Each structure stands twice: as structure tokens, then as C-alpha cells.
Amino acid sequence: MLAGVPVMAQTAPAPAAQAAPVRPTPATTRPATVAAPSTATPTAAGQATTAPVTAGTIRSLRVEGSQRIEPETVLSYTKLRIGIPYTTATLDQALVDLQASELFADYSISGVESGDIVLRIRENPIINRVILEGNKAIKSDKIQKELKLAPRQIFTRTAVRADVGRIVELYRRQGRFAAVVDPKMVSLDQNRVDIVFEIAEGSKSKVRQINIIGNEKFSADALRGEMATKQSRWFRVLSSNTSYDQDRLNYDQQKLRQFYLTQGYADFRVTSAVAELTPDKRDFIITYVVEEGPRYKFGDVTVDSEIRDFDNTRLAASLAPKKGDWYNAKLVEDSVDSLSQTAGLFGYAFTNVDPEFQRDRDTLTMGINFHIAQAQRTYVERIDINGNTQTQDKVVRREMRLAEGDAFNDFQIKRSQDRINSLGFFQDKFEIKRSPGSAPDRILLEAPVEEKSTGELQLSAGYSSLERFIVQANITQRNFRGKGQELRAGVNYSSYQKSVELGFTEPYLFDKNIAVGVDLFRRDFNQFNFTTNGDRNQLYNQVSTGFQIRSGVPLTEYWSLSGRYGLSYDEVGLDSSLLVNGECSAATVGRYLCEQLGNRWTSSVGYSLIYNSLNSGLRPTAGTRFSFSQDFAGLGGDVKYIRTRFEAAKYKGLGSGFVLSFLGEGGYIRSLEKSRGPGIDKVRIIDRFYLGEPNFRGFDIRGVGPRIQRTPLVTDPVTGVQSLVTDRNQIVDDPLGGKAYYLGRIELEIPLGSGARELGLRPSIYAQAGSLFSLTRPLATTTFTQLRDANGVLRTNPDGSPTLAGAPLTTIVNNQTLALYTVNATDTTNAGLTTTCAIGYSATAGGTCAGTSANVAQTSQPFVENFLGNSARPRVTVGIGVNWNSPFGPLRIDLARALIKQKGDDDKLITFNVGTQF
């Protein structure tokens, strides 16, 4: 211990004690003690004695040894004064007073016989530093905040003991009951010391076992499942609920009682709860002793209302508890809430609903009478909005469904909370507080908002095998100028796509409930596939430039109508390496792509009818959302179609943080144009629907639906046998999109502990089903002829399949298919050039041929072309995913497996998305 024995009263001076390092006894969870000073009577020899001192008078009084403390201050701690008589008791009390001041390391009294009293003291040292050693689980700055000792303070043993207790208590709060704190004092010159707290943290104390005694109706495992505290097991390595916590012990007793009360055991009680530390001080064993009691059923359930507006019989019939059912305290609580909300709907804000219980132990029934006290109809006196420093008051007030002077309505209060939460400007669990007004029929409403960041800046860079280098920069302000306006801008750059987008939305135009917005965009999209040697091959590119104007108005509290007009210019072309004389080569990229090339204007007008009762627009846990949308293209421009879509979502909280959601969507696009030829779908490839990642988890981007797969045939140079390529990367896979699709998902969000919630982790499990279909079957790109041997006999492979010759390469000009030729080497002007002339040469495809050279027809490597995936049969996936609000923006990781898929679909096991809203 940091303790010392004071020098006893002496009649002669004693040598001054030398300061030396002190190694105190380790302090554990028990507080240290300080030796009490001796009250023995001092003698002339300076030894403690019980012999009495003859009473005398103090003739002089002085202090020796004081350095920082003035002699007058030292004397002020005692009752000794010049001219007063002194005895043994007087001197003993002076020593006790000096010790009580905790300012002195040594103290003694001399000059007893002569009356010339001298107080010899050695002051306590000054603290130079306070040092922590051995702490890892708790950072030093957190411990320092709890310590009272600090540099330049006077050292006292009491303060050291108190700080030891504070450190130990910090570790106890973390569940480390084996922690040991060993304080040390290191003496320095000039009467200074360093205080060192050596900390042995020990491991965190876990709950090794939970014993329950007295339970007969329910197993111990079932009861342990109701508790917040869990037994330490290997599979709970990430759980924080396996640590011992005294507060959680009390909470678990309440959880046990709540469980039994919901099962009808109204007399249940916990008679004792004991937590014992194991001998090694590593773990705890908790033992509960319970008395279950008999099980009750509901008796008569009645309502006694003093409010005349209510029909007691009808109210009682609407309540969940029914006579003869097993008693359930949760249903009673829900009934109280239901009656209070019903009263709130009629304008009674401060209604007191008191359940009166009639327990009958003979029949084991519990009758309940819900007494509703007399109340006055209430009106809103004032609405106060507090805490908004950036957001203007009107942004909050316009979401309130009540105004000052309106009759109070509990439903409108809840709806106001949901609308304000949906803004996403404030804390997640915002609630409107109620308090009595200046009169019994007045109520004050307070909206204590806590603003959070509404600006988002996302900067990212990366590399992928498909897109090469990727750079993204997006900035969004959802509460621009504090007016609730949304302003956004984004730039994306990669080999796959390049885009610039700007958008602005004003939710209340001229403070009227009319939303308007505008979007400007330019998107450069490149479609790739993989060639037969595994290299990436660019197929077509699409450049879209345009704008959209949006507007919306509410129809009712939940229904709204929005309209839009958009104008865009789309340029669809091929990479120059794939062009032949400036034209598309069907045999190279496919007839189905050559038919889609060209530039066109799209002018469209559309509307959306929306129903929304979600309790939050960001992370809903209850409510429904449905939208029906149609877009009509053909108001000018080159494209004509009707696109119809619907989306629906239902969220339901299951309790304990579980949220079940059902989501569905679908769409169909119908062209209003004339046929563009056999095998050519009237809906262009850039207007069709596509399905896959990220909406359909378990499949790659555009991995579902109609597609063309071209599998090359390779010929063995020795045997001449042909075979299909099996390497997936060498198979050309072109998704073509579809005119119709549907997608459904059922998902269960699983709650985690408080630590995971603070990190923003939200795991879920889900199942999805959907399909993309309805596309005109494209015509074959080319037809291969079968080879013959020298005798003119058709050749076959060992498996009986025909041996095919390369097909002529062609190009499409004005919907006409023209063969491609290489100018004969005998031509001295154009030898080796590509032309559409069988004889002679033309620099333009389909142009007039000039010359007499007989050219050589160009041929392609034989391949098998299959049209796959055009089926309405559902594809089904199951998976698990985790949402994480990371410091880099919203992130989602999915592990999904396709259980049912169609031939040609491109599945994907792991999906990783950053910066998407979920």
C-alpha cells in the first residue's frame, strides 16, 4: 500500500527521513487502507509512551521543515496557540489534525517539557507525472478522464486509493473483473514523485453458464433464449451479450417476467438471482430461482368509459383479449395503447386508460375492466420546432398534418412523424413530444429535431477486367440552402461508360405543394463481349444526350400524381475496327446488332400514379408503396412506343428488430412503329428492359433474358475434326434485352447487437424470382455450307455432325445483305482491299464496281449461333447480404446462388456494390 507511519511526538529533534521509491502492495478490487497515526503520548526521548505529560503553558510555538506551505498555514490545522495550556491529549490531537490534513509525510512535536513547542514536518511530495502502463483494452485518454490525480498536485494516499478504485470500476464496466491495478510511487529530487499505475487487465469475464431452478413448464434453453445475456460459446464470438453486466442481469429478470406474463403465468416471480465469479476470476455463473405459479385465462373483458362519445360494448369487442383465451400481459398493454389511440382520434389527447384486474385464484381467471377516465377534447395551442440550425422552420411545418388551432388527432401526429422522418434530414428516431397547454383543453406540440449531414460526396477509383480503370465522383445535397431542395451532380468515367449528370428538385414550388425538377445528362455507353482468344471486343456504343422535366402533386394524403417530359438524342454505332468500308459486318458482330445502328431522337411524355404509406423514405420498417407508370414516345422524334411499369413494396416489422419486406416490379414496352423487316424486333435494343445485377442478385449485369451466344468451331489441323469451343470466355455472349419482365423478392432483415448497429451493419436473407422475355427471334447471321471430299461426298465429324465450311462475310447496306470480297492480287491498284464487288472495285459498300479483276470471297470461321433465354419461366435465387453505411458511402455485399436458371443465363455468386442507395 501507499502508506506510511507518522513520526511520533518527540522532545528532541530527529533526523529528517529520506525520500525513497515505494513499492506498494498491489491493489485489487478491495480498497487500500492507511495506517492510523499513533496517539501515544510523546516523551523526552521521542518514543511513544502512555505516561501523562504535566500540564503547562505554551510559551513559544514554531514550525520547522515547511517549504511550500507557510508556517501559519501549518499551525492553522492544529489548535495549538501561544499562551494556552497543553496536556497529553492536546498534543495527541495536534498530531491527529496534522495527519487529517493529508499534507505531510512525517510530523513530530518537541519542546514538551519547556513549553517551547516545535512542530517538525516533512511535506507530502508534488506529483510530477501520472503514468499508465499495461492498458490496452481501454485507451489512456479514457482512463485519464476518470483520474483525480494530476501533475503539480500534492500527493495523498487517499487520492491514490480513490483513483485505483476508479480504474478498477472502468474495467468492471467492460466485464474485466480480473483486472488488477498496482500503484507505484517513484521519488524524484526536489520532493517530487511520479505515480505509476501498473495495470494487469486480464481477460473479459464471460458468462460461462446460466442456471435456472424452479422452472417446470418451460425448458431452461427456452428461457435462456428470452434473455439478453447469453452463455459464452464459440459461435457467439462476435456477440457482446456474453459478457457479464449487472444492469443486464436486472434486465433479464424483467425479460423472464414478461415472457411468463405473456404465457398466462400472472403469479410468476424471480425469488433470487445470484452471479458468482469462478475461482479463476475469468467467468461468471448466474443462477436464477423462479416460481412459476398457476396459469390463468382471461375472464370477462369490459370497458368502462366516462367519455360519452364511446360505446363501451363496441370498444370491448374490438380488443384483442377474449374471454377463455390464455392470459397475455402483452395483449393488455396493446389494448391500453389501442384505447388511447382511439381516444386520440376523437381529439382526447390526455386520456387516462387504467386496466383493473380481477384475479380469481379458484377458477384461475383474470378479468379485466379498462376504465377510461373523463377527459376534455383537446386542441393544438402551439407547435414548437427546436434544434434546426440549417433547415428552415417551414420545411418541417409543411410536413405536419396538424396546424395550430386544429383539434388534436393522434393519427395525424403519427403521420407527421413519418413524413418528417422520410425527409432524411434529421435523427432516425424522431418523435413529436406532447405537453399540457395553458388550459386543460389545450396541448403543446414540440418537434425537437436533431439535424444530420444531408450532403454526400463520393469519390472512388478502381480497376476491373471489364471496365479497366474506373473513376467516379458524385455530390448530392438533399437539403440545399435548408429549403429541402435537392441538388446533385455526378461524373463517371471508365472504358465501359462515361457520363455527366446534373439534377435539381424543388419539392414545394412557391411554397405550394407542387414538386418540380429537371435533369440534364450525357451518357456514353460501350457494349463489350469476348472474342475466341479471350480478348475483350467492343461491339456497339451508345451516346445519349438529353434532359427531362418533372413535376408532381399530391392527390390525397397517400396518393400522388407526377408527370414528366423527356427529350434525348441517341447515337448507336460500332467501333471503327468492326466496320468494313464504313459499314457493319454482320458476320463479324452479328446481324442482330447491325440492324440496331443509327441515330434517332426520342421525345416522350409520361406519368406515375403513386401510393406511399411508408414510415420512412430511407429505411422503412412498416407501410406500403405502389407506383404505376407509363411513358409515351412519339410526341415528335423518331421513336414510337408505350412503356408500362409497376413497382410495389410492403414492409412489416416482426418485433425485436426483424423487418420482413415483399417487393415486386414488372414492365412491358409495346412499339407503335411498323415492322422493320423479318427477324427484326420493332422495339430497339436501347429501349428494351434488362435484368441482372444489381436488382436481380445472383446474376451478372444483364445476365438474364434473351441473348445470342456464338460458339466457334475449331478444326484439328491433323485430323480435320471440328469441335465446339468450351472455354466460356471465348463464346460471344450478346444480351439483347426483352420487351417484358417481372421480378419479385422476399427479404428478412436480421438485427445485430448494439456494436454492429453502431457500425451501420444490417444483414438480411432473401429469395428472388423473375424473368425477362418477349423478343422476336432474330434471323441467323449467316448460313454455312457443308464440306465435301474429293469424291463429292459430304464430310462428317466422328459424332455425326456435319463438317462446315466458312461462310461468306457480308455487310448490311440499306437493309440489303452484300457479300464481302478481297481484291485480287493481280490488280495493281487495289490489291488486298475489301469491297462488295465480285468483279472490279468500289470504295463504298454497294457502290458501282469498276475494273475486271475477279475477286476472292471473304469467309468467316464457322460457328454455331443460338438464340437463348427468351422464356417467361422464372429464374430463382437465394442469398444473404449485408448493408454497411461505411465511411466511404453505402456499401452492400451479396452472396447469392441461382437455384433455377435458363440456358444462356449468366449467374454470379458474389456481388459488391458501393455508393448505391438501399
Side-chain angles (χ1 to χ4, degrees):
M1 302 293 178
L2 283 170
V5 179
V7 178
M8 304 308 168
Q10 300 177 357
T11 58
Q18 298 296 320
V22 177
R23 180 175 179 82
T25 303
T28 60
T29 59
R30 298 181 61 83
T33 60
V34 178
S38 172
T39 59
T41 303
T43 66
Q47 301 296 324
T49 176
T50 58
V53 175
T54 303
T57 301
I58 300 176
R59 298 192 305 168
S60 65
L61 186 61
R62 61 190 176 88
V63 177
E64 292 182 356
S66 61
Q67 297 177 357
R68 300 182 308 274
I69 306 175
E70 295 294 332
E72 291 78 6
T73 304
V74 177
L75 292 175
S76 68
Y77 286 104
T78 71
K79 297 179 181 180
L80 300 179
R81 300 293 183 270
I82 296 175
I84 67 171
Y86 65 91
T87 63
T88 301
T90 305
L91 300 177
D92 285 349
Q93 185 60 44
L95 293 174
V96 172
D97 293 340
L98 290 174
Q99 183 196 22
S101 70
E102 294 191 343
L103 298 175
F104 312 107
D106 290 320
Y107 38 87
S108 63
I109 299 177
S110 64
V112 176
E113 291 79 1
S114 63
D116 296 320
I117 303 299
V118 178
L119 297 180
R120 288 189 176 90
I121 63 171
R122 182 164 60 86
E123 296 174 354
N124 271 337
I126 292 292
I127 297 174
N128 179 54
R129 292 185 302 168
V130 178
I131 304 171
L132 301 172
E133 294 181 354
N135 57 304
K136 295 181 180 178
I138 304 179
K139 294 182 178 180
S140 296
D141 56 351
K142 187 174 182 180
I143 299 177
Q144 292 284 4
K145 292 178 182 178
E146 300 292 328
L147 300 182
K148 301 301 181 184
L149 291 176
R152 294 182 296 278
Q153 287 185 354
I154 297 176
F155 163 81
T156 64
R157 301 176 184 87
T158 302
V160 172
R161 290 196 300 271
D163 280 349
V164 168
R166 293 184 183 97
I167 297 173
V168 170
E169 181 60 27
L170 279 178
Y171 278 96
R172 281 184 172 182
R173 292 175 192 170
Q174 279 205 349
R176 298 180 184 272
F177 286 81
V180 176
V181 180
D182 184 5
K184 294 182 179 180
M185 181 179 70
V186 180
S187 297
L188 305 174
D189 57 355
Q190 300 179 356
N191 199 24
R192 297 175 303 130
V193 293
D194 284 343
I195 304 301
V196 181
F197 292 102
E198 291 188 351
I199 304 172
E201 295 179 321
S203 58
K204 184 174 288 189
S205 299
K206 301 289 187 179
V207 176
R208 182 178 299 177
Q209 189 172 342
I210 300 177
N211 299 321
I212 302 175
I213 300 174
N215 56 308
E216 297 179 355
K217 304 300 181 181
F218 299 96
S219 67
D221 287 339
L223 297 180
R224 283 191 285 261
E226 298 295 324
M227 300 178 185
T229 304
K230 303 299 180 183
Q231 297 180 130
S232 178
R233 298 293 184 266
W234 66 268
F235 51 84
R236 296 195 179 107
V237 64
L238 298 179
S239 174
S240 61
N241 291 341
T242 57
S243 300
Y244 173 75
D245 188 327
Q246 177 64 38
D247 294 335
R248 196 185 294 137
L249 186 68
N250 298 329
Y251 176 71
D252 285 338
Q253 295 181 58
Q254 296 300 320
K255 292 285 287 182
L256 283 175
R257 177 167 174 75
Q258 290 175 8
F259 172 73
Y260 270 93
L261 288 179
T262 60
Q263 302 299 319
Y265 295 88
D267 296 333
F268 172 83
R269 66 191 186 100
V270 179
T271 58
S272 70
V274 179
E276 298 176 295
L277 193 60
T278 56
D280 58 5
K281 295 184 179 181
R282 293 177 59 88
D283 297 320
F284 277 87
I285 297 176
I286 302 176
T287 303
Y288 295 95
V289 180
V290 303
E291 289 183 4
E292 295 179 324
R295 193 178 188 188
Y296 288 77
K297 290 186 176 181
F298 280 113
D300 292 327
V301 180
T302 59
V303 175
D304 177 18
S305 174
E306 297 181 13
I307 301 177
R308 296 182 178 180
D309 294 343
F310 294 164
D311 185 329
N312 295 339
T313 303
R314 294 182 63 183
L315 284 178
S318 66
L319 299 178
K322 304 297 180 183
K323 184 177 181 180
D325 292 345
W326 291 112
Y327 173 76
N328 188 329
K330 181 66 169 56
L331 294 182
V332 177
E333 293 179 5
D334 293 344
S335 298
V336 172
D337 293 340
S338 176
L339 291 173
S340 298
Q341 291 176 5
T342 301
L345 294 176
F346 285 85
Y348 298 96
F350 302 108
T351 306
N352 183 24
V353 180
D354 183 23
E356 300 170 347
F357 298 89
Q358 295 93 34
R359 189 192 311 257
D360 190 333
R361 288 186 168 84
D362 294 331
T363 60
L364 296 180
T365 58
M366 183 74 73
I368 302 177
N369 176 56
F370 294 95
H371 178 73
I372 304 177
Q374 180 64 45
Q376 289 184 316
R377 195 179 299 275
T378 313
Y379 297 88
V380 178
E381 179 178 356
R382 191 172 70 250
I383 300 176
D384 296 326
I385 300 172
N386 303 320
N388 54 315
T389 58
Q390 177 185 351
T391 306
Q392 299 182 6
D393 274 14
K394 68 178 183 180
V395 174
V396 182
R397 289 187 182 276
R398 66 196 185 194
E399 302 300 330
M400 299 288 293
R401 302 296 93 181
L402 288 173
E404 293 166 344
D406 289 350
F408 175 83
N409 188 300
D410 191 74
F411 172 79
Q412 298 290 9
I413 293 293
K414 184 178 183 304
R415 180 60 181 164
S416 299
Q417 290 178 175
D418 291 344
R419 290 182 66 92
I420 294 174
N421 277 323
S422 295
L423 292 175
F425 303 162
F426 311 112
Q427 73 273 24
D428 292 338
K429 296 183 179 180
F430 164 79
E431 290 186 2
I432 297 176
K433 296 182 179 180
R434 316 171 192 179
S435 58
S438 58
D441 62 343
R442 295 291 184 267
I443 186 173
L444 301 179
L445 300 180
E446 180 185 2
V449 299
E450 180 182 339
E451 292 182 324
K452 63 182 181 180
S453 175
T454 56
E456 299 176 1
L457 174 62
Q458 298 179 4
L459 300 174
S460 61
Y463 179 86
S464 74
S465 59
L466 179 63
E467 298 189 57
R468 300 296 192 255
F469 288 101
I470 306 168
V471 178
Q472 295 179 333
N474 297 278
I475 183 170
T476 303
Q477 176 52 259
R478 293 180 287 107
N479 189 13
F480 184 58
R481 300 189 299 166
K483 295 184 177 182
Q485 300 167 339
E486 181 176 306
L487 181 66
R488 63 184 183 276
V491 176
N492 296 284
Y493 180 87
S494 71
S495 299
Y496 190 67
Q497 60 179 342
K498 305 173 184 66
S499 67
V500 177
E501 300 188 27
L502 301 173
F504 175 79
T505 302
E506 167 57 70
Y508 278 76
L509 183 64
F510 306 124
D511 291 329
K512 304 295 183 181
N513 201 354
I514 301 175
V516 295
V518 61
D519 299 303
L520 305 175
F521 60 86
R522 180 178 174 86
R523 307 184 186 106
D524 187 346
F525 172 81
N526 296 321
Q527 174 68 33
F528 296 100
N529 64 11
F530 291 89
T531 61
T532 56
N533 59 6
D535 293 333
R536 189 181 62 163
N537 179 39
Q538 180 173 326
L539 289 178
Y540 70 89
N541 54 70
Q542 172 192 344
V543 179
S544 298
T545 306
F547 69 90
Q548 185 181 77
I549 300 175
R550 299 171 278 108
S551 180
V553 294
L555 301 178
T556 66
E557 178 61 31
Y558 297 108
W559 287 95
S560 63
L561 179 66
S562 65
R564 56 193 167 270
Y565 171 76
L567 180 65
S568 64
Y569 183 66
D570 297 300
E571 304 171 73
V572 180
L574 282 176
D575 185 81
S576 59
S577 63
L578 301 177
L579 296 177
V580 178
N581 287 357
E583 301 294 338
C584 177
S585 173
T588 304
V589 299
R591 178 190 181 103
Y592 43 87
L593 291 182
C594 290
E595 295 164 347
Q596 304 298 324
L597 303 184
N599 303 336
R600 56 191 65 92
W601 285 92
T602 301
S603 175
S604 65
V605 60
Y607 73 93
S608 295
L609 185 63
I610 303 170
Y611 174 86
N612 189 348
S613 65
L614 299 179
N615 62 348
S616 173
L618 300 177
R619 296 179 185 172
T621 58
T624 302
R625 189 181 190 280
F626 172 81
S627 69
F628 178 83
S629 305
Q630 282 190 312
D631 289 279
F632 304 87
L635 195 67
D638 307 311
V639 181
K640 297 179 181 180
Y641 62 73
I642 299 178
R643 179 190 285 120
T644 303
R645 291 190 63 188
F646 78 89
E647 295 179 353
K650 173 71 175 178
Y651 295 85
K652 182 176 180 59
L654 303 181
S656 302
F658 290 90
V659 179
L660 183 65
S661 60
F662 302 88
L663 297 95
E665 61 179 286
Y668 182 77
I669 182 170
R670 184 178 188 322
S671 176
L672 303 179
E673 301 177 26
K674 297 180 180 179
S675 173
R676 293 186 289 126
I680 305 176
D681 201 288
K682 292 190 292 183
V683 178
R684 291 173 173 82
I685 193 170
I686 61 174
D687 298 324
R688 301 169 189 166
F689 297 112
Y690 291 88
L691 198 59
E693 182 191 337
N695 292 334
F696 203 165
R697 305 162 192 167
F699 289 98
D700 207 345
I701 298 175
R702 301 188 173 190
V704 176
R707 61 211 319 106
I708 290 290
Q709 281 191 352
R710 180 187 296 182
T711 306
L713 284 166
V714 293
T715 304
D716 188 293
V718 177
T719 63
V721 174
Q722 289 180 335
S723 61
L724 292 172
V725 168
T726 58
D727 184 358
R728 185 70 171 82
N729 289 332
Q730 296 186 29
I731 300 175
V732 176
D733 190 335
D734 292 334
L736 304 182
K739 294 185 294 186
Y741 86 100
Y742 64 87
L743 179 64
R745 179 169 76 242
I746 178 173
E747 187 165 6
L748 179 64
E749 185 174 313
I750 303 172
L752 295 179
S754 58
R757 286 197 300 270
E758 290 177 0
L759 291 175
L761 294 174
R762 295 181 294 121
S764 63
I765 58 176
Y766 54 85
Q768 289 186 277
S771 185
L772 177 70
F773 54 97
S774 185
L775 190 68
T776 301
R777 185 183 186 92
L779 297 179
T781 296
T782 186
T783 302
F784 295 93
T785 59
Q786 187 173 353
L787 293 178
R788 298 175 180 269
D789 59 17
N791 299 322
V793 179
L794 292 175
R795 292 171 52 182
T796 59
N797 293 305
D799 61 359
S801 63
T803 302
L804 302 177
L809 289 178
T810 60
T811 186
I812 298 178
V813 179
N814 296 327
N815 289 332
Q816 291 184 344
T817 302
L818 303 177
L820 296 174
Y821 297 87
T822 300
V823 178
N824 198 299
T826 60
D827 190 312
T828 59
T829 305
N830 303 306
L833 297 181
T834 298
T835 182
T836 54
C837 298
I839 298 177
Y841 175 77
S842 173
T844 59
T848 302
C849 300
T852 59
S853 63
N855 300 325
V856 180
Q858 296 183 0
T859 58
S860 64
Q861 179 183 5
F863 56 83
V864 174
E865 190 174 79
N866 293 311
F867 178 58
L868 305 171
N870 190 28
S871 170
R873 294 179 181 178
R875 285 78 160 169
V876 179
T877 65
V878 295
I880 58 176
V882 177
N883 289 326
W884 179 32
N885 292 334
S886 72
F888 312 102
L891 179 149
R892 182 178 178 95
I893 300 176
D894 285 284
L895 181 66
R897 182 176 181 83
L899 300 181
I900 300 176
K901 59 181 181 178
Q902 302 300 321
K903 189 175 181 180
D905 290 345
D906 191 4
D907 57 348
K908 187 176 183 179
L909 183 63
I910 299 176
T911 303
F912 181 86
N913 290 302
V914 180
T916 57
Q917 184 64 48
F918 43 80

